[in-house]
Amino acid sequence: MKLTEKDILVDGINISYIEEGEAEDAVIIFIHGFPFNKWTWENQIGVLKERYRVIAYDVRGHGESIATTAQMNLNQLTDDLFSFMDAIAVESAIICGLSMGGYIALSAVISQPARIEALILCDTQCGADSHQAKQKRMDVIDSVQKNGLTQYAHDSVQKLFCEASLTEKSSEVSSIEQTILHTSVETIVNTLKALAARKETCSSLHQINIPVMIIVGESDQITPPEVSQKMQDLITGSSLQVVENAGHLSNLENPASFNGHLQDFLTSIQQISTRL
Ligand code: MLT
């Protein structure tokens, strides 16, 4: 599928993004997980582009977004989202974020709720890192600084995909492994530090009063269904969908099921807005 790739300079950062659909359509912005890129949303863009203005961007340092990643933090990644929206003249949008993308989406809805029309939170969580999780990230930092990314990329895909995907989805597995290998060590290290330092958002979820769908792979080992259930309990009116035959990358591992839930949710929002 040929998708339109663009670049825009935002606060001195070159942001690379895919944009499809018509200017007058409702806008959906996709935010990828760590350490991936905008192309992980290709399957979703393909099915939505006839009805929505669909945008997926590379978070700073990832994919083809060139930017310094020194002293990164979640607030800065959230500010990047808003500055990017300003640059492409999008006042408000539906935001769909996976894992790190979900952390950014949650931080965004808490800081500027008026700019977020609806949320799709995929394979993500509202909790901060435990002491043990922080330590694990520091161990990874040590290891990639000493040994490079080969072992890290190999170990990561074993955790990201469910068992069935590891054997049956070899092209997706190898594409994610290559994506990790093509990310700079600097981005891996500095993003890991930013993720380790992120604050919890669970205590603010009661403030959210827009439509929210939470979606998670049934075999997600990184952010398992229980943590999605916790978010659903804290967000009034939210729905939770569990994607079968999928791990942490539910949109890639089972796009048919993921896209079905996505389209149903978007249709339900449209019905609400036409009734108002
Ligand atoms: C991601 O997929 O974005 C990561 O698993 C997030 C994290 O490491 O917390």
Side-chain angles (χ1 to χ4, degrees), residues 32-36 98-103 123-125 129 137 152 160 192 195-196 198 222-223 248-249:
H32 61 79
F34 167 76
F36 317 126
L98 185 134
S99 201
M100 173 181 74
Y103 306 157
D123 301 278
T124 193
Q125 60 186 333
D129 273 9
R137 294 199 200 269
Y152 171 64
L160 290 164
L192 282 166
L195 296 178
R198 77 184 193 283
I222 298 173
T223 47
H248 190 57
L249 301 179

Side-chain angles (χ1 to χ4, degrees), residues 1-60:
M1 187 193 334
K2 181 93 186 79
L3 296 176
T4 314
E5 207 178 345
K6 303 179 179 177
D7 288 281
I8 195 161
L9 201 61
V10 179
D11 294 341
I13 302 173
N14 180 66
I15 296 281
S16 171
Y17 64 107
I18 299 166
E19 180 169 22
E20 292 288 340
E22 303 300 323
E24 62 277 12
D25 290 339
V27 181
I28 306 181
I29 299 180
F30 288 94
I31 316 175
H32 61 79
F34 167 76
F36 317 126
N37 63 35
K38 58 187 179 299
W39 294 106
T40 50
W41 297 109
E42 207 171 352
N43 286 320
Q44 286 66 50
I45 296 170
V47 298
L48 296 182
K49 67 189 174 113
E50 301 308 327
R51 290 179 58 206
Y52 297 90
R53 183 174 166 203
V54 199
I55 295 163
Y57 71 98
D58 285 334
V59 172
R60 68 164 62 210

Side-chain angles (χ1 to χ4, degrees), residues 8-253:
I8 195 161
L9 201 61
V10 179
D11 294 341
I13 302 173
N14 180 66
I15 296 281
S16 171
Y17 64 107
I18 299 166
E19 180 169 22
E20 292 288 340
E22 303 300 323
E24 62 277 12
D25 290 339
V27 181
I28 306 181
I29 299 180
F30 288 94
I31 316 175
H32 61 79
F34 167 76
F36 317 126
N37 63 35
K38 58 187 179 299
W39 294 106
T40 50
W41 297 109
E42 207 171 352
N43 286 320
Q44 286 66 50
I45 296 170
V47 298
L48 296 182
K49 67 189 174 113
E50 301 308 327
R51 290 179 58 206
Y52 297 90
R53 183 174 166 203
V54 199
I55 295 163
Y57 71 98
D58 285 334
V59 172
R60 68 164 62 210
H62 295 74
E64 280 133 303
S65 283
I66 315 294
T68 172
T69 59
Q71 294 170 358
M72 267 169 97
N73 59 56
L74 242 293
N75 287 344
Q76 178 195 45
L77 298 183
T78 310
D79 289 346
D80 286 349
L81 167 65
F82 290 127
S83 301
F84 172 59
M85 288 169 70
D86 291 342
I88 58 172
V90 169
E91 181 49 39
S92 66
I94 300 164
I95 306 286
C96 176
L98 185 134
S99 201
M100 173 181 74
Y103 306 157
I104 297 171
L106 282 170
S107 157
V109 77
I110 291 161
S111 67
Q112 294 199 44
R115 299 196 71 177
I116 317 293
E117 293 167 18
L119 273 182
I120 301 137
L121 300 169
C122 324
D123 301 278
T124 193
Q125 60 186 333
C126 58
D129 273 9
S130 62
H131 178 70
Q132 195 191 13
K134 284 190 175 114
Q135 190 51 53
K136 260 198 202 156
R137 294 199 200 269
M138 296 313 139
D139 294 345
V140 172
I141 290 174
D142 264 6
S143 157
V144 298
Q145 281 175 331
K146 281 192 200 120
N147 310 317
L149 295 176
T150 311
Q151 189 64 42
Y152 171 64
H154 175 79
D155 294 347
S156 296
V157 293
Q158 308 302 315
K159 277 182 264 154
L160 290 164
F161 289 91
C162 72
E163 244 173 80
S165 300
L166 285 170
T167 49
E168 289 158 24
K169 304 256 159 168
S170 52
S171 102
E172 285 80 356
V173 173
S174 119
S175 150
I176 287 294
E177 192 163 350
Q178 286 306 313
T179 300
I180 299 174
L181 289 170
H182 283 97
T183 308
S184 71
V185 170
E186 185 202 24
T187 291
I188 300 277
V189 167
N190 292 334
T191 313
L192 282 166
K193 287 183 186 165
L195 296 178
R198 77 184 193 283
K199 303 254 185 322
E200 64 82 31
T201 48
C202 305
S203 57
S204 304
L205 296 189
H206 66 278
Q207 299 167 15
I208 299 177
N209 64 357
I210 51 171
V212 176
M213 177 174 71
I214 300 160
I215 185 159
V216 63
E218 67 176 345
S219 306
D220 184 341
Q221 302 173 48
I222 298 173
T223 47
E226 304 87 84
V227 300
S228 287
Q229 183 62 62
K230 177 176 172 186
M231 286 193 294
Q232 195 206 0
D233 293 344
L234 293 169
I235 306 176
T236 309
S238 61
S239 61
L240 171 61
Q241 304 297 344
V242 178
V243 178
E244 64 281 13
N245 300 321
H248 190 57
L249 301 179
S250 54
N251 67 315
L252 267 183
E253 295 182 67

